Amino acid sequence: DNIQWMMNDFKDYYNVAEAEEVRMTYGMPASVLPMMAPAQFDNLLSQQKPNCSILEMLGGGYYYVDNYSENGDRAKNLKVVADRLAAHMRQHRVKLLGVMAMNVKSEAAKEAFQAYVDANDQLEGIVALQYSPYAGGGGEVIWVTNKAGYDIPVITVQYSLWNFGNRNTEREGTPAYIAGRLKQEAQEKSFSVVCVHAWSNFSDHGQTEDPLIENQSGNIRGAGAAKLCAGHLNENFEVVNLQELVWRLRMSERPEQTKKYLSEVF
């Protein structure tokens, strides 16, 4: 169903003005869609907005990286899927990977992260969603060293924009609620990934302090919901796409090796 969506209604989320304003990053099945519908994949890439970025999402199919092939030869099968994925990502010049796990902090998930990094020397960063809640990783960053000795960040989702109706949860909720949580943690966190639940709609109530009112009878979704959230932030924040966030994080936490890598590439 994820591929089907990319071939049909995804355009209503992808080709919107708000995406440019908030520098959205869109997860695409860049390893699978080109095989099933190459013309549609090319069409989507041709519509990519200058300040937006894309990432390969889910690693070549819908599976959880921490329990993938747990009843088989897991190490061997992880290498196979990682090698295949790396070939597709290099072919289409996609350098960010999004994955999903039942527990993004588990040793099994870390084993999978290492397999992806080992297979792809062009991989710049990984974003990890937990199946439920998406923001179960709490924004933790896990560093994985590739074969060239460079540390690659695995960034877990910090918060999700999600309409639960009459409630918010610890890390998921309305744009106003999530913006409030981000501002509370501004002194503690420097980099945050916020996931936008595609099927959640919100309404615009200006600079409201009501953490639930945006859940009521709205039709704002996707990049529009991200724009609502960004509008509640202050001058201490800058909204960037995931590719820029990854490089800012690498420069902040690993400045010397990042400068060395960039000098070799450029």
Side-chain angles (χ1 to χ4, degrees):
D1 62 331
N2 292 276
I3 302 296
Q4 176 180 282
W5 185 49
M6 293 287 166
M7 296 167 66
N8 291 281
D9 293 341
F10 179 62
K11 64 183 184 301
D12 298 332
Y13 290 80
Y14 185 64
N15 192 16
V16 294
E18 294 91 344
E20 178 81 359
E21 297 180 55
V22 293
R23 304 188 175 198
M24 284 286 284
T25 295
Y26 289 95
M28 288 190 188
S31 59
V32 179
L33 186 60
M35 291 188 282
M36 293 185 64
Q40 173 65 346
F41 181 69
D42 290 344
N43 177 48
L44 290 174
L45 290 188
S46 73
Q47 296 180 49
Q48 182 180 341
K49 298 183 183 301
N51 285 329
C52 297
S53 63
I54 66 171
L55 76 161
E56 154 65 35
M57 194 62 214
L58 298 182
Y62 197 113
Y63 61 94
Y64 308 111
V65 299
D66 49 346
N67 63 16
Y68 179 77
S69 191
E70 63 183 355
N71 295 322
D73 189 341
R74 176 170 161 82
K76 177 183 176 181
N77 293 337
L78 269 178
K79 184 178 187 305
V80 169
V81 74
D83 286 344
R84 289 175 178 170
L85 175 64
H88 287 290
M89 291 182 67
R90 287 195 294 263
Q91 178 184 359
H92 300 295
R93 294 182 293 176
V94 178
K95 299 185 177 183
L96 294 181
L97 172 62
V99 298
M100 187 171 282
M102 298 300 290
N103 180 354
V104 293
K105 299 179 184 179
S106 67
E107 291 305 311
K110 293 174 183 177
E111 178 189 18
F113 302 152
Q114 187 69 62
Y116 295 126
V117 169
D118 286 345
N120 190 352
D121 60 357
Q122 296 182 20
L123 189 61
E124 296 176 351
I126 299 174
V127 176
L129 290 83
Q130 192 154 294
Y131 174 62
S132 181
Y134 280 9
E140 182 176 324
V141 178
I142 301 164
W143 293 91
V144 181
T145 305
N146 69 13
K147 291 181 177 179
Y150 293 107
D151 294 333
I152 306 301
V154 179
I155 310 172
T156 67
V157 172
Q158 176 90 352
Y159 291 110
S160 295
L161 299 181
W162 204 300
N163 188 335
F164 289 101
N166 62 354
R167 65 185 178 93
N168 295 310
T169 67
E170 181 183 3
R171 295 193 172 275
E172 299 179 314
T174 67
Y177 173 74
I178 297 304
R181 292 296 304 267
L182 285 167
K183 286 186 284 190
Q184 289 174 5
E185 295 186 354
Q187 301 304 313
E188 302 174 19
K189 302 286 185 180
S190 298
F191 303 91
S192 300
V193 172
V194 178
C195 175
V196 183
H197 181 232
W199 318 127
S200 287
N201 291 346
F202 301 96
S203 52
D204 186 355
H205 297 271
Q207 291 301 312
T208 179
E209 295 184 4
D210 187 327
L212 290 173
I213 194 171
E214 291 170 328
N215 280 344
Q216 299 176 5
S217 61
N219 60 359
I220 300 173
R221 61 186 184 182
K227 183 180 177 181
L228 276 183
C229 186
H232 293 301
L233 298 174
N234 55 35
E235 66 279 1
N236 294 326
F237 292 85
E238 183 177 0
V239 179
V240 299
N241 66 50
L242 275 179
Q243 195 153 23
E244 182 172 346
L245 185 144
V246 162
W247 282 108
R248 288 192 183 203
L249 176 61
R250 290 178 66 170
M251 184 63 80
S252 174
E253 299 296 322
R254 303 290 193 275
E256 295 306 317
Q257 64 167 245
T258 302
K259 291 175 184 177
K260 179 177 181 292
Y261 174 82
L262 293 174
S263 70
E264 293 172 350
V265 173
F266 300 106

